[in-house]
Amino acid sequence: MRSFLFVPGDSLRKYESAKKTAADALILDLEDSIAPDQKVAARGVTRDMLDARNPAQKIYIRVNALDTGMTLGDLAAVMPGRPDGIVLPKCAGAADVNHLALYLDAFEAASGTEQGTTRIVVVATETARAVTKLLDFEGASPRLWGMMWGAEDLAASLGASRNRSNGRFHGPFLLARDLCLISAAAIGVVAIDTIATDIDDLAALKEEAIAARQDGFLSKAVIHPKHVDVVNAAFMPTEEEIAWSEKIVKAFDDNPNSGVVKIDGKMIDKPHLRAAVKILALVGR
């Protein structure tokens, strides 16, 4: 999946707009986009959204963090609607993932859902403590499917006055980004890039999304429908990348006993082959 579009869990109007986009997944939000006195009411609206889903899109629910006392109530409201996954904010390591996984075990059993089908995506960099736990996801539940990083809440946790200048993230936030990417790769789950907050700067969004894919992120979160097509395009390989990958695969097919091949004057080895295979898999070749 290339794009995750956030939708406030209390806005049917925005949900209807989101359903018409090419977003691969929607994240119906019960956390930051909902006012404190509206959180209980938003659960019912979100449940209605699940019943009116677009079959072409995956539906994830961002619940409130485990330390709020609201997580169980959120899950009780939405799990009968069988979301594809739950997004856990303020996550700090495998212990939090496994805590949520136990809840999901129970709700799936109660609703007759096949055990283990509800995925978990964590937002893994929202507090200073969470950043220190980014290398502590070994042993997390197999439900863990993706790790997303975010810079807005982290700025508040660090006491930073801003997290970027001239479109570039400052050092502490780049550290969190890179550690999230490395941690996700280490345990074999999907790394998801953070949102772009400037809604109207589509050129900057494109640059940011291309850089994320080149670094190894497989998806990006977005907060506005007009970001979806830009992100989807950025997370697909270019024709040049596809052609080069096909050359690499063919060269190794023609030389199955070789560990290294020469293409256009360049020495290409098995790590290049693995990367080429991944690129071609993205476009179904």
Side-chain angles (χ1 to χ4, degrees), residues 244 247-252 261-268:
W244 178 242
K247 274 189 176 183
I248 293 174
V249 171
K250 184 178 186 304
F252 277 101
V261 296
K262 187 176 181 180
I263 305 175
D264 298 344
K266 299 177 181 178
M267 300 307 296
I268 306 298

Side-chain angles (χ1 to χ4, degrees), residues 120-148:
I120 294 174
V121 169
V122 298
V123 189
T125 68
E126 292 186 298
T127 67
R129 179 174 180 271
V131 174
T132 69
K133 293 288 187 177
L134 277 168
L135 303 182
D136 186 33
F137 281 88
E138 293 286 349
S141 165
R143 291 181 184 273
L144 181 60
W145 182 86
M147 296 175 63
M148 182 188 302

Side-chain angles (χ1 to χ4, degrees), residues 58-281:
K58 300 290 186 183
I59 301 290
Y60 285 68
I61 311 295
R62 181 164 70 172
V63 295
N64 288 282
L66 291 170
D67 63 0
T68 64
M70 301 190 70
T71 314
L72 273 173
D74 291 342
L75 293 172
V78 302
M79 284 301 291
R82 301 192 177 190
D84 295 288
I86 299 297
V87 177
L88 180 65
K90 311 297 191 297
C91 180
D96 284 354
V97 174
N98 295 338
H99 190 158
L100 175 58
L102 285 174
Y103 288 163
L104 296 180
D105 289 345
F107 282 110
E108 285 178 346
S111 64
T113 303
E114 182 181 349
Q115 282 289 300
T117 55
T118 311
R119 295 169 168 176
I120 294 174
V121 169
V122 298
V123 189
T125 68
E126 292 186 298
T127 67
R129 179 174 180 271
V131 174
T132 69
K133 293 288 187 177
L134 277 168
L135 303 182
D136 186 33
F137 281 88
E138 293 286 349
S141 165
R143 291 181 184 273
L144 181 60
W145 182 86
M147 296 175 63
M148 182 188 302
W149 85 281
E152 307 310 313
D153 286 273
L154 181 57
S157 179
L158 295 177
S161 59
R162 60 194 307 173
N163 55 32
R164 65 174 92 189
S165 299
N166 301 318
R168 305 297 183 194
F169 283 107
H170 297 173
F173 306 95
L174 287 175
L175 174 65
R177 171 193 186 272
D178 294 348
L179 284 175
C180 182
L181 172 63
I182 291 167
S183 179
I187 61 173
V189 303
V190 171
I192 305 167
D193 192 32
T194 192
I195 62 167
T197 56
D198 190 333
I199 291 173
D200 295 321
D201 193 343
L202 299 185
L205 169 68
K206 178 180 178 180
E207 181 182 353
E208 187 175 299
I210 289 173
R213 184 179 74 81
Q214 290 175 341
D215 284 349
F217 286 92
L218 295 177
S219 186
K220 186 172 179 64
V222 299
I223 55 172
H224 195 279
K226 68 182 180 182
H227 286 191
V228 171
D229 289 344
V230 176
V231 167
N232 282 351
F235 274 87
M236 292 300 292
T238 64
E239 289 301 319
E240 181 181 2
E241 289 172 318
I242 293 168
W244 178 242
S245 297
E246 288 175 335
K247 274 189 176 183
I248 293 174
V249 171
K250 184 178 186 304
F252 277 101
D253 284 345
D254 292 342
N255 299 275
N257 297 319
S258 296
V260 178
V261 296
K262 187 176 181 180
I263 305 175
D264 298 344
K266 299 177 181 178
M267 300 307 296
I268 306 298
D269 57 15
K270 289 300 178 70
H272 295 100
L273 175 61
R274 289 193 291 271
V277 169
K278 287 182 179 180
I279 286 173
L280 294 178

